[in-house]
Amino acid sequence: MRFCIIFLSLALSVASYAQTGSYFLSHFSPDEERFNIMCFDIEQDDRGVFYFATQAGILQFDGRNWDIIATTGTIYSIARSAEGIIYAAGSDGFGRIIRDEYGVELYESLFKQQSAEYIFQISTLPNQVYFLSEKNIFEYAIRTGEIQTQAANGKTGSFVAMNDMFGKIYISTEQNGLFEIESKKILTSTLEIPDSATVIFSLPYKDQYLLGTDRNRIYTYKKGKRIEEIKLKDSVYAAAGVIVNATWVNDNLIAIGLLRGGVMFVNPLTGETEEIINYNSGLPDNEVFSIIGDKNQNVWVAHAYGFTRIAPYLPFRSFRYYPGLEGNLLSATTHKGKVYVGTSAGLFKLEKEEFYDEITYYVEVPVKQKPGIKQTQKEVAIVETEDSRRGGFFRFLKRKKKEEIANKPTTAITLKQAVRREKRVKKILRQAYFKYKKVDGADSKITQLIHWKDKFIVAGLGGVYEIGERTVIKIIQDPVRFLFASETSNSLIASTYDDKLRQYKFDKTWIETGVIEGISGPVNYIFEEGSAALWFCGFDKLFRMNLLDSAHRVETLSIDKRNFNQPQGISFNNEVFIATSSGFYFYDPIKGKLVEGDSLRKPTAYFASTKNLWFRDKNNWHIAGESVGHNNLQLLNLFNNIRFIDSDPEFGGLLIITGDNELLQFNSEAQLRDEILFPVILKSIENDDKLLLRKGFIKIDQEKSSLTVEVIRPDFIGAKFIEYRYLLGGLNKQWTEWSTKHNIIDFPYLPTGEYTLLVQAKDIFGRINELDSVKIEVVPPYWKQTWFFAAEFSVFVFLVILSFRLSYRFIFLSRILSLLSIIIFIEFIQTIAGSTITKSTPVLDFAIQVAIAFMILPIEGFLRRHFLLAITKRNEKLQQAGKKDTEPQEPLPLI
């Protein structure tokens, strides 16, 4: 109970560190419907891909895809060696991640644990990797694969934690202090740890290490120097939350993970708390399992609901998570240093509140002693205890409670019977924090917040109100669609739900001066064309009121194309600029009509204010108007459902409301830190639904030439907004359009030939990098290959020669071979023609066959005349010669 009261009061102080809004958070989960994900450790490789140690195995995340690398048990620790190899350890031993012949990552077991003891920590050195369990230290030699085991003994006791610092392995034990490994022996360490505490983590950064102990203290350690403590200004909050891990962000910022208090961001040079991110500032859960700093100075937090990425240096600050805000957020602004938010439930103001504690204490009041009574005294020993180190799954929390109590100092208090104690009560300021408070009097839906002259005016379904320091003055009773503060007429123009345009002026009090006539239908947006005209935008028509004409004539203008969003516009550089969902239009004063702009793409979203228009085309955000700068507008690509944008009149930048009810302050001119550009990764190649080896050259058969290539560029700011395009050299001459879907490239059929696949990726900053080219050779079937043509021609020649040779004695066989030769020759010609023409139709096939027939006809005639007929005539002569030889000869005359 005592802890709950202390921690609650400390938790209320969180908002005091976020007066300018809290850090920008992004949430990730492998399954949106699955909760209670237990992650024990996190690692990131050189490609930017993350690996998470979980009870289901090693979870892999590249910014878009979640994959699971199956293991033989729960994984408790992951570490990356200097060579870039990922090692993992858990309930079933330890191993490493390798790639098979297809490039798929697999878990290879190096040591199988036979006992029920689990391995919970890994430390890597250039040539060795150390694995720690409660009773053993395993040393794995990277080059030889040899494993040596050193067991805990009576001198060391059970092992609690292992850390490597400056090339040496240190082992923290449960009862006997710190040991180190020297010449493959466990020796008592000479490194002095303040308060004889247990070192639960050590994190390298440049020339120093960040140490955390089980006494909820943080230290820095430089080689050859003494360990120095970082005096945390909010050490009470850290102790109440229980420090379990930490990470470096940069020289001036570290993040400390708390078991029950979220994440503290602290300046290591001063100990000042820069920010606290917990449930009150957007973190889904206060229980932090593990944290790690990524390569772009962001912090990843593992909790029961997945993973959260905290971006301290992204120029967004969130104002959504202060308590007290109700309803859907519709509009926001700042006025006199305070944030105002219009919601579907009314108007809210962010105010600072002071939280006081009533402290009860006693003072000693002297009591007059009666004669004859002696003054006595006695001492009472009070044991100071704390419960900041209760149980959990962390190993250093295994110390017994009785050991903690036994080591506590006692304080002696002297009670004098001659002193009377009187009770006193005093209020002290515990902490100041921020909270949204509803503005009384503006209780209905508020859609607009307007700064005009020195007044602050809000409008919505309840009408129009002037908001003062302590007063709310109602100007208009009727529900208002849109309110416009006209600089030219020095008045307010309100479009009400009864389709009237009412005009109000201020002269010591608000007075309705009349109704604007000549405009029919509902008006949803109003803007000024300098002092020349007023524009009124309806659903499908626009009205221009000429202010230079004494009669204030009204022109009705139409937009030819249908719109699904309400038209909005601005006037700048003496030109009227109208935005619609069907495109952009400009007003031509000579022709008196709207002209469609052909140089701008159709907008997917747009928001207008008095002086600026923000719009997004297919790829990026742009601004038109009087504002200059806004160099970082591309960061708005992080949100695909923005529903409000407006300039922040006091702090600069923009105020944004997303479809997720998030209110953000965006410093569009902040200097961005350079983000590491991770390489494009060839994730997989599939041919005929079978994986191929991931390499720079692949060969596939033309009969099964369907090909699917998947690439990914790891990115965690806006992974789902990474755009890809590709070019298949040898088939196409131009790149495809940029698309977020082109990371999966599908070729249902590829003709015979050689190709070069080029793939490029572009992030939200417009940075482009390219995948190493992939050479693809589509091999034709054997009957379309050169060797088959040569063999077929050789057979043809052979049969012709053979038929000629056999024609002298085997006439019938010779004729058959000659006919077969002609058929083979015809097929040979058809095969060559078929391999040359890749796209065929029945009509084209018929035309080819007719053409071949005409080509074959003279050849067949030639063969028939010179071979078959010649052979036939020769055979006839031979037959005739044979007959003459067999005819009876006349007898010679006798002499």
Side-chain angles (χ1 to χ4, degrees):
M1 182 65 182
R2 170 179 170 270
F3 166 78
C4 292
I5 294 174
I6 293 175
F7 196 76
L8 178 62
S9 63
L10 291 168
L12 288 173
S13 69
V14 172
S16 66
Y17 299 111
Q19 300 174 23
T20 58
S22 57
Y23 292 155
F24 182 72
L25 309 182
S26 302
H27 306 291
F28 305 90
S29 176
D31 188 347
E32 294 181 355
E33 298 179 357
R34 182 180 176 186
F35 300 103
N36 199 25
I37 299 173
M38 183 68 76
C39 173
F40 303 97
D41 203 0
I42 310 173
E43 188 58 82
Q44 186 181 25
D45 70 7
D46 295 330
R47 304 172 303 166
V49 178
F50 277 97
Y51 298 83
F52 304 95
T54 73
Q55 70 270 32
I58 300 173
L59 195 61
Q60 187 186 53
F61 183 49
D62 58 25
R64 179 178 289 201
N65 305 295
W66 293 91
D67 297 300
I68 189 74
I69 301 175
T71 59
T72 55
T74 298
I75 300 298
Y76 291 108
S77 182
I78 290 181
R80 180 173 56 90
S81 68
E83 297 79 14
I85 300 174
I86 302 293
Y87 291 89
S91 61
D92 206 30
F94 59 83
R96 62 185 177 183
I97 295 177
I98 61 171
R99 289 184 175 87
D100 66 7
E101 58 180 347
Y102 298 103
V104 178
E105 291 184 308
L106 304 172
Y107 174 77
E108 179 188 41
S109 177
L110 299 175
F111 174 78
K112 185 79 171 177
Q113 185 74 286
Q114 302 298 326
S115 65
E117 183 183 9
Y118 64 91
I119 299 172
F120 54 78
Q121 206 161 0
I122 305 173
S123 289
T124 63
L125 294 181
N127 298 315
Q128 291 89 21
V129 182
Y130 292 86
F131 303 86
L132 183 71
S133 68
E134 189 174 355
K135 298 179 180 178
N136 292 286
I137 301 171
F138 304 91
E139 180 184 345
Y140 172 75
I142 294 177
R143 295 179 180 176
T144 65
E146 181 183 358
I147 299 174
Q148 293 186 354
T149 304
Q150 299 186 64
N153 51 45
K155 180 181 178 181
T156 62
S158 299
F159 300 136
V160 174
M162 175 174 62
N163 298 282
D164 59 282
M165 292 182 285
F166 300 110
K168 184 175 290 188
I169 299 296
Y170 293 89
I171 309 296
S172 297
T173 61
E174 188 170 344
Q175 297 177 346
N176 300 323
L178 188 67
F179 292 80
E180 61 186 56
I181 296 178
E182 185 73 37
S183 300
K184 300 186 182 300
K185 295 181 180 179
I186 302 178
L187 305 175
T188 301
S189 177
T190 57
L191 184 65
E192 296 183 2
I193 305 299
D195 300 328
S196 299
T198 297
V199 178
I200 58 176
F201 60 78
S202 66
L203 303 163
Y205 183 75
K206 295 183 178 180
D207 62 340
Q208 62 182 324
Y209 280 79
L210 184 72
L211 309 183
T213 71
D214 63 341
R215 301 191 186 279
N216 295 305
R217 292 181 179 177
I218 302 293
Y219 301 86
T220 56
Y221 173 41
K222 293 185 178 181
K223 193 172 184 177
K225 297 184 179 181
R226 296 185 62 181
I227 297 176
E228 296 182 1
E229 182 178 3
I230 299 175
K231 297 292 185 180
L232 300 178
K233 294 297 188 291
D234 291 290
S235 58
V236 177
Y237 184 86
V242 183
I243 296 176
V244 292
N245 42 38
T247 186
W248 287 95
V249 179
N250 53 40
D251 296 276
N252 300 314
L253 194 66
I254 61 174
I256 303 173
L258 306 178
L259 179 62
R260 51 197 177 198
V263 182
M264 292 178 62
F265 286 85
V266 176
N267 186 327
L269 304 177
T270 63
E272 292 284 349
T273 303
E274 301 291 339
E275 190 83 36
I276 295 180
I277 301 296
N278 60 13
Y279 184 79
N280 294 324
S281 50
L283 197 66
D285 198 306
N286 279 344
E287 184 181 10
V288 172
F289 297 156
S290 181
I291 67 173
I292 187 176
D294 69 11
K295 297 180 182 298
N296 286 314
Q297 300 187 14
N298 305 297
V299 175
W300 286 72
V301 182
H303 45 72
Y305 297 91
F307 310 95
T308 296
R309 176 180 175 274
I310 306 172
Y313 297 105
L314 207 59
F316 291 101
R317 289 294 179 266
S318 176
F319 285 84
R320 173 67 182 90
Y321 297 101
Y322 294 109
L325 203 56
E326 299 174 3
N328 292 321
L329 311 189
L330 303 174
S331 55
T333 191
T334 55
H335 178 65
K336 294 186 177 180
K338 295 181 179 179
V339 176
Y340 285 82
V341 183
T343 77
S344 57
L347 180 65
F348 294 83
K349 178 171 62 172
L350 186 62
E351 288 191 333
K352 187 175 181 179
E353 283 199 348
E354 295 178 339
F355 179 74
Y356 288 88
D357 268 354
E358 286 190 351
I359 302 300
T360 302
Y361 63 100
Y362 293 86
V363 296
E364 295 180 347
V365 180
V367 178
K368 293 181 179 180
Q369 296 184 7
K370 296 181 180 180
I373 297 180
K374 295 182 179 180
Q375 177 176 314
T376 62
Q377 65 181 26
K378 64 178 181 178
E379 293 183 350
V380 180
I382 299 176
V383 180
E384 297 177 357
T385 65
E386 65 177 39
D387 62 347
S388 63
R389 280 175 278 156
R390 292 184 177 175
F393 67 84
F394 298 96
R395 295 161 294 284
F396 64 88
L397 299 177
K398 294 164 65 176
R399 295 196 176 204
K400 297 180 181 179
K401 190 70 175 178
K402 63 181 181 179
E403 178 186 341
E404 295 179 5
I405 297 175
N407 294 330
K408 292 296 178 181
T410 60
T411 302
I413 299 178
T414 302
L415 303 178
K416 298 180 180 180
Q417 294 181 347
V419 177
R420 177 169 59 86
R421 304 177 69 204
E422 290 187 359
K423 182 179 179 181
R424 299 282 192 272
V425 177
K426 182 181 180 181
K427 283 188 175 184
I428 63 169
L429 178 65
R430 166 67 68 183
Q431 193 64 55
Y433 67 99
F434 285 81
K435 178 181 180 180
Y436 281 105
K437 286 188 174 181
K438 195 169 187 179
V439 177
D440 294 333
D443 300 325
S444 58
K445 183 177 181 179
I446 300 296
T447 55
Q448 285 182 264
L449 308 176
I450 298 173
H451 298 267
W452 185 59
K453 307 297 183 182
D454 58 345
K455 301 182 182 300
F456 179 45
I457 300 168
V458 304
L461 291 184
V464 178
Y465 309 85
E466 180 188 345
I467 308 299
E469 287 292 332
R470 294 181 178 84
T471 60
V472 175
I473 301 173
K474 195 158 192 176
I475 303 172
I476 303 175
Q477 301 287 339
D478 300 327
V480 171
R481 292 183 189 272
F482 188 81
L483 181 69
F484 177 68
S486 172
E487 297 291 339
T488 303
S489 61
N490 196 26
S491 64
L492 297 179
I493 301 174
S495 171
T496 59
Y497 270 74
D498 59 0
D499 296 339
K500 302 292 185 181
L501 291 170
R502 305 178 186 276
Q503 196 167 7
Y504 294 82
K505 287 191 175 183
F506 182 79
D507 185 10
K508 297 182 180 179
T509 184
W510 289 100
I511 303 170
E512 183 176 357
T513 59
V515 176
I516 297 176
E517 302 289 348
I519 298 172
S520 60
V523 171
N524 301 293
Y525 190 80
I526 306 171
F527 69 96
E528 279 183 325
E529 183 186 339
S531 59
L534 275 172
W535 284 78
F536 303 88
C537 302
F539 288 107
D540 56 357
K541 293 183 180 180
L542 287 84
F543 305 91
R544 181 180 184 271
M545 177 179 287
N546 191 340
L547 300 180
L548 300 179
D549 181 8
S550 59
H552 289 180
R553 288 180 301 172
V554 176
E555 298 176 67
T556 301
L557 304 168
S558 298
I559 297 173
D560 296 334
K561 297 180 180 179
R562 301 290 296 173
N563 296 291
F564 294 97
N565 293 330
Q566 300 169 5
Q568 296 180 0
I570 60 170
S571 174
F572 72 100
N573 292 337
N574 298 319
E575 193 167 28
V576 173
F577 189 61
I578 305 292
T580 72
S581 59
S582 62
F584 295 97
Y585 294 84
F586 299 89
Y587 177 66
D588 187 339
I590 298 176
K591 296 180 180 180
K593 65 178 185 178
L594 295 174
V595 179
E596 185 174 3
D598 54 3
S599 62
L600 296 173
R601 294 182 178 181
K602 184 187 300 184
T604 58
Y606 54 87
F607 303 91
S609 67
T610 306
K611 299 180 179 180
N612 298 291
L613 177 71
W614 298 270
F615 62 95
R616 188 185 192 279
D617 57 21
K618 188 177 180 180
N619 298 313
N620 283 304
W621 281 91
H622 309 274
I623 183 173
E626 296 182 5
S627 293
V628 295
H630 296 288
N631 297 320
N632 300 326
L633 280 180
Q634 64 269 24
L635 284 175
L636 296 183
N637 288 324
L638 292 175
F639 316 100
N640 57 2
N641 55 353
I642 294 177
R643 64 188 186 201
F644 173 85
I645 296 178
D646 201 359
S647 299
D648 190 332
E650 294 188 1
F651 298 103
L654 303 176
L655 286 168
I656 301 167
I657 297 175
T658 72
D660 298 326
N661 233 26
E662 179 87 10
L663 173 59
L664 300 168
Q665 186 185 62
F666 174 40
N667 185 357
S668 56
E669 292 305 304
Q671 183 67 36
L672 293 179
R673 293 174 177 264
D674 292 334
E675 294 277 334
I676 292 178
L677 192 65
F678 293 117
V680 181
I681 301 171
L682 181 60
K683 191 172 177 64
S684 67
I685 305 177
E686 287 188 11
N687 171 233
D688 195 31
D689 296 329
K690 294 180 181 178
L691 283 175
L692 297 180
L693 300 180
R694 284 188 243 177
K695 55 185 182 180
F697 176 78
I698 59 175
K699 182 183 289 187
I700 59 177
D701 292 330
Q702 188 262 332
E703 285 188 305
K704 298 179 179 179
S705 62
S706 64
L707 195 68
T708 301
V709 179
E710 183 177 359
V711 300
I712 192 69
R713 204 200 86 179
D715 186 277
F716 306 96
I717 290 183
K720 61 183 178 180
F721 303 108
I722 296 288
E723 294 182 311
Y724 300 85
R725 68 175 182 176
Y726 64 89
L727 169 66
L728 187 62
L731 185 65
N732 308 113
K733 294 183 179 180
Q734 294 183 342
W735 290 86
T736 62
E737 292 290 329
W738 289 105
S739 173
T740 57
K741 298 179 180 179
H742 282 165
N743 68 306
I744 298 178
I745 307 167
D746 188 26
F747 300 105
Y749 171 80
L750 285 176
T752 301
E754 295 183 355
Y755 306 95
T756 302
L757 178 63
L758 303 175
V759 183
Q760 292 181 340
K762 181 174 68 172
D763 60 16
I764 62 173
F765 301 103
R767 299 179 302 172
I768 298 175
N769 58 343
E770 189 169 315
L771 177 73
D772 292 338
S773 62
V774 179
K775 303 291 185 180
I776 303 170
E777 182 181 356
V778 181
V779 181
Y782 69 89
W783 63 85
K784 292 185 179 182
Q785 297 187 34
T786 305
W787 68 266
F788 185 81
F789 295 152
E792 195 172 17
F793 183 76
S794 300
V795 171
F796 164 72
V797 174
F798 172 76
L799 290 176
V800 171
I801 296 174
L802 182 63
S803 65
F804 185 75
R805 292 285 185 181
L806 295 177
S807 63
Y808 294 98
R809 294 185 180 182
F810 304 98
I811 299 172
F812 180 74
L813 180 60
S814 175
R815 289 181 176 181
I816 292 176
L817 291 175
S818 299
L819 182 62
L820 184 60
S821 299
I822 293 174
I823 294 172
I824 292 176
F825 187 74
I826 293 172
E827 290 297 326
F828 175 68
I829 298 298
Q830 285 183 328
T831 302
I832 293 177
S835 63
T836 305
I837 301 172
T838 57
K839 295 182 180 180
S840 64
T841 63
V843 176
L844 183 60
D845 290 341
F846 176 74
I848 292 172
Q849 291 174 2
V850 171
I852 290 174
F854 280 107
M855 291 172 60
I856 294 299
L857 186 60
I859 298 174
E860 186 271 338
F862 174 81
L863 291 174
R864 180 160 49 82
R865 287 193 306 271
H866 290 79
F867 287 93
L868 293 180
L869 294 178
I871 291 171
T872 302
K873 290 179 179 180
R874 182 176 296 178
N875 289 336
E876 289 177 353
K877 289 180 179 181
L878 289 174
Q879 289 177 358
Q880 291 176 1
K883 288 179 180 181
K884 291 181 178 181
D885 292 339
T886 57
E887 288 180 357
Q889 302 289 329
E890 293 182 2
L892 296 173
L894 294 175
I895 301 176

